[in-house]
């Protein structure tokens, strides 16, 4: 992701430091990847995240930092104890399991073509769970497409 500056002009690192000190400042940024398509479009959609303020739930979209230092915005697939697994809506495979402390924020809304959508609701999480449950259909579609593309060569 790029453009990770909040509405107050601070970096994501500064935002996280303030959040760990108890500040509940939202941060907005433009998505710089296709892993959350079709929900979020690269370079076009702005999302807003807030520091984690409640227990995380399956289907939540979270901002986390990977071990390589990259900031990622993906959906929670599974939570087990202090660990969770995430997956991008357009991804076929899961992210490496991570400790819950790696999650810096919960995505609460997105802005697409000037219209805001609440992403921190039961309805949004239900949509996410439905989308994740259909993952196997996307995998079959991908594999069938690959099979026929190879045959045409």
């Amino acid at each position: 992701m790029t453009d990770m500056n909040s509405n107050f002009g601070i970096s994501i690192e500064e935002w996280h430091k303030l959040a760990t000190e108890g500040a509940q400042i939202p941060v907005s940024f433009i998505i710089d990847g296709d892993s959350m398509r079709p929900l979020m479009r690269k370079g076009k959609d702005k999302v807003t995240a807030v520091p984690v303020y409640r227990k995380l739930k399956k289907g939540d979209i979270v901002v986390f930092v990977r071990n390589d230092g990259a900031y990622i915005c993906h959906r929670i697939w599974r939570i087990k104890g202090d660990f969770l697994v995430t997956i991008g809506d357009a991804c076929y495979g899961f992210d490496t399991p991570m400790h819950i402390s790696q999650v810096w924020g919960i995505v609460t809304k997105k802005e697409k073509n000037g219209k805001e959508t609440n992403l921190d609701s039961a309805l949004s999480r239900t949509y996410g769970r439905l989308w994740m449950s259909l993952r196997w259909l996307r995998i079959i579609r991908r594999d069938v497409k690959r099979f026929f593309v190879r045959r045409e060569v």
Side-chain angles (χ1 to χ4, degrees):
M1 288 184 234
T2 58
D3 196 16
M4 296 286 284
N5 293 319
S6 77
N7 299 331
F8 303 102
I10 60 176
S11 70
I12 188 83
E13 292 85 3
E14 293 169 315
W15 171 75
H16 182 252
K17 184 177 184 295
L18 289 169
T20 57
E21 294 170 356
Q24 287 293 319
I25 301 171
V27 64
S28 296
F29 49 90
I30 304 293
I31 295 296
D32 186 33
D34 286 323
S35 64
M36 285 300 290
R37 286 189 71 211
L39 182 66
M40 300 173 194
R41 302 169 300 169
K42 177 181 179 178
K44 295 181 179 179
D45 298 337
K46 180 167 62 170
V47 298
T48 300
V50 296
V52 178
Y53 65 95
R54 60 165 172 75
K55 186 177 178 179
L56 296 172
K57 301 173 185 174
K58 182 178 180 175
D60 279 340
I61 300 172
V62 294
V63 176
F64 62 93
V65 60
R66 270 193 328 218
N67 292 333
D68 65 1
Y71 302 107
I72 308 295
C73 184
H74 279 175
R75 195 179 297 278
I76 295 176
W77 170 266
R78 177 171 289 136
I79 302 173
K80 191 166 189 177
D82 288 340
F83 290 86
L84 55 90
V85 176
T86 59
I87 186 170
D89 283 1
C91 298
Y92 299 111
F94 301 105
D95 297 320
T96 304
M98 73 184 89
H99 192 269
I100 210 159
S101 65
Q102 288 176 261
V103 175
W104 284 15
I106 300 171
V107 175
T108 57
K109 64 182 175 180
K110 73 168 180 172
E111 186 179 324
K112 185 181 228 174
N113 300 326
K115 182 182 176 194
E116 284 188 0
T117 303
N118 179 11
L119 298 177
D120 188 24
S121 66
L123 181 62
S124 177
R125 281 187 292 281
T126 300
Y127 165 81
R129 287 177 155 184
L130 176 63
W131 183 258
M132 289 186 298
S133 70
L134 297 174
R135 177 179 161 265
W136 63 275
L137 283 175
R138 295 191 308 276
I139 291 171
I140 291 171
R141 178 182 169 269
R142 176 202 64 192
D143 293 345
V144 167
K145 186 175 178 180
R146 283 182 182 171
F147 177 78
F148 285 108
V149 169
R150 285 188 206 144
R151 293 209 170 253
E152 291 176 7
V153 176

